[in-house]
Amino acid sequence: MAIVSLGCARNDVDSEELAGRLDAQGWQLEADPAQADVAVVNTCGFVEQAKKDSIDAILGLADLKSDGSRTRAVVAVGCLAERYGEQLAQQLPEADAVLGFDTYGDLSTHLSAILDGRPPASHVPRDRRTLLPLAPAARQPAAIEVALPGHQAQGGQSGFPAGGAAILRTRLDDKPWAPLKIASGCDRRCSFCAIPAFRGSFVSRPPEQVVAEARWLAEHGVREVLLVSENSTSYGKDLGDLRLLERLLADLARVDGLDVIRVSYLQPAELRPDLIAAMTCSDRIAPYFDLSFQHASGPLLRRMRRFGDREAFLALIESIRACSPAAGIRSNVIVGFPGETEEDYEILSDFLDQAHLDAVGVFGYSSEEGTEAAELPGALTQEVIAQRVEDLSSLVDSIVHERAAARIGELVDVLIEEVQDEDGVPVAYGRAAHQGPEVDGDCRIELGGAGGAGAVPVGGQLVTGRVVGNDGADLHVWLPLLGAGEWSGLA
């Protein structure tokens, strides 16, 4: 059995939980799908490009069945399968089964049936928001009978055996960082987003489960955990404690072996002063703010069913940097939303120019079926959207480069992720506190001093160096060497 994980870090958590469950039920995990009897594709169904990537992956793996490899079946799970179910199965007969989240607790039985030529019926989609009470306080863990991928819970069972010794998760890579899910679903109703319909309403994981899994990750070589959810700033609201994230961060900072705790997916409208303080007062919690601005024009944000505007967002950024001047702040923005005027676009451009963010993802609006925005008047042409994406991306590249260049001379703690051989010379790469995994640039370690063979740091080590240059968001960091195999912090 092989698992191919696509999409976001939340999906990666779900994939590793599936791997853990299947491993516990006797399946042998193969890294290469060509060496596995069945390939399970954990798909992404967020926007058009992600859907296409998922379909291409399924088709590519289906080709293995006819080229002499060991692969006998390809199974689609994940968000695309959950969102489209039977429709996907009809349009993609190359997939031997299309299964929804509710099958995860007993996926082993379904895979065995598929290999025996008895594929289960394709998933029938439904709005998963209807499966839980409307009031968050009524969604107590003991009463939830809904599959929640990545929660170590299915169908009301905690997933933790008596004594809490085992974690149902298997690492699918050996990176020194790993995503850790703290919640699933979303109660927001952004007019462009379909995620709540197929991921369901917001549910927090109990903090003791999060800490237990973080401890397990640390025991398996992880030095940084990335806390993921659809909306991390809502953590605890269904458990009766709107300040629970602050306390969870403090508990995680005490887990032996973890050097970095990073939070992602923060809603600007919910980012309270106490949380900013908690994220900037500990040497183990990265002062890193992944803020979902989406736009900066107040009127357009209301059409998106979101809060805020340019002035409010700039004030929020100022309050963060007042607590931590070197804090990393990143965001994603959407251009070409229905009704976006030239004035709206200029407001967004002006905001980004003033905000000096460390990283910005620029996305052209993608009309998603079943969303309110798909029915809004004022749709822009694809040509206009593409031009605005191109223009804003060019501006963002310049802004990000300037922000990174302003860090030259700073001391940064770098978590080493890998060491590469470049023309016979080992070169270490990692990330500083303001750089999130895979999307915010990295640090190239430049060694100096009297070091010799074996002096290059290895993956998983946390080292301190000085920024001496940059290439866009990527930093060049000088690490002084004291001698072979030794490196120095800097005062």
Side-chain angles (χ1 to χ4, degrees), residues 133-205:
L134 182 62
R139 304 172 201 155
Q140 295 302 305
I144 291 178
E145 297 292 336
V146 176
L148 298 171
H151 278 229
Q152 302 280 329
Q154 304 288 345
Q157 298 178 0
S158 71
F160 288 89
I167 298 294
L168 293 171
R169 181 168 180 171
T170 295
R171 297 297 315 281
L172 296 178
D173 59 50
D174 58 358
K175 297 174 182 176
W177 71 274
L180 174 59
K181 189 171 286 191
I182 63 171
S184 285
C186 187
D187 289 338
R188 289 184 168 270
R189 295 296 178 263
C190 301
S191 61
F192 56 82
C193 185
I195 289 176
F198 58 84
R199 275 290 183 177
S201 299
F202 184 86
V203 178
S204 302
R205 289 184 69 190

Side-chain angles (χ1 to χ4, degrees), residues 126-443:
R126 52 182 172 172
D127 189 333
R128 296 189 72 84
R129 291 171 294 190
T130 65
L131 305 181
L132 290 168
L134 182 62
R139 304 172 201 155
Q140 295 302 305
I144 291 178
E145 297 292 336
V146 176
L148 298 171
H151 278 229
Q152 302 280 329
Q154 304 288 345
Q157 298 178 0
S158 71
F160 288 89
I167 298 294
L168 293 171
R169 181 168 180 171
T170 295
R171 297 297 315 281
L172 296 178
D173 59 50
D174 58 358
K175 297 174 182 176
W177 71 274
L180 174 59
K181 189 171 286 191
I182 63 171
S184 285
C186 187
D187 289 338
R188 289 184 168 270
R189 295 296 178 263
C190 301
S191 61
F192 56 82
C193 185
I195 289 176
F198 58 84
R199 275 290 183 177
S201 299
F202 184 86
V203 178
S204 302
R205 289 184 69 190
E208 60 273 15
Q209 287 193 12
V210 178
V211 173
E213 191 167 337
R215 189 174 295 113
W216 180 88
L217 288 169
E219 291 169 353
H220 285 75
V222 170
R223 294 295 169 258
E224 174 184 329
V225 290
L226 175 69
L227 306 186
V228 298
S229 71
E230 274 74 28
N231 178 8
S232 297
T233 36
S234 281
Y235 180 74
K237 71 174 186 179
D238 50 325
L239 301 178
D241 188 350
L242 288 173
R243 299 293 183 269
L244 192 56
L245 182 55
E246 289 93 307
R247 283 183 271 281
L248 174 64
L249 289 174
D251 290 341
L252 290 172
R254 290 191 288 269
V255 173
D256 290 340
L258 288 184
D259 294 317
V260 183
I261 297 96
R262 188 182 302 274
V263 188
S264 63
Y265 303 108
L266 302 169
Q267 289 292 339
E270 299 178 13
L271 189 57
R272 49 200 177 269
D274 287 351
L275 181 54
I276 294 174
M279 293 174 62
T280 55
C281 69
S282 168
D283 59 0
R284 285 195 174 187
I285 300 170
Y288 172 82
F289 294 81
D290 177 16
L291 296 169
S292 179
F293 289 129
Q294 304 298 352
H295 211 278
S297 167
L300 192 72
L301 283 164
R302 302 306 168 266
R303 287 172 68 86
M304 291 180 169
R305 301 294 185 197
R306 295 182 64 82
F307 301 95
D309 54 29
R310 172 177 53 189
E311 289 70 26
F313 293 161
L314 289 173
L316 176 59
I317 291 169
E318 183 179 0
S319 69
I320 292 171
R321 289 178 174 153
C323 293
S324 177
I329 305 177
R330 74 156 345 263
S331 190
N332 295 321
V333 297
I334 298 172
V335 295
F337 188 81
E340 183 186 59
T341 65
E342 284 287 350
E343 181 182 3
D344 293 326
Y345 175 77
E346 290 302 323
I347 289 172
L348 175 59
S349 299
D350 180 67
F351 163 70
L352 293 174
D353 193 45
Q354 295 182 62
H356 303 296
L357 302 180
D358 291 274
V360 184
V362 179
F363 296 90
Y365 170 71
S366 172
S367 179
E368 293 297 316
E369 61 267 41
T371 64
E372 179 186 350
E375 307 299 325
L376 288 176
L380 279 65
T381 66
Q382 288 303 309
E383 291 75 17
V384 169
I385 294 175
Q387 188 61 58
R388 290 184 179 179
V389 168
E390 181 180 347
D391 293 345
L392 197 65
S393 296
S394 179
L395 172 64
V396 162
D397 287 345
S398 175
I399 291 168
V400 169
H401 176 83
E402 290 177 3
R403 174 65 175 163
R407 293 185 180 275
I408 293 175
E410 284 186 7
L411 296 179
V412 290
D413 292 328
V414 179
L415 178 69
I416 302 300
E417 289 193 303
E418 62 178 344
V419 178
Q420 299 180 1
D421 184 284
E422 298 184 3
D423 297 324
V425 178
V427 179
Y429 288 88
R431 289 178 293 105
H434 70 278
Q435 296 172 316
E438 298 180 342
V439 293
D440 297 340
D442 58 26
C443 294

Side-chain angles (χ1 to χ4, degrees), residues 24-35:
Q25 293 166 333
W27 290 81
Q28 180 177 333
L29 183 65
E30 298 286 350
D32 181 2
Q35 301 301 315

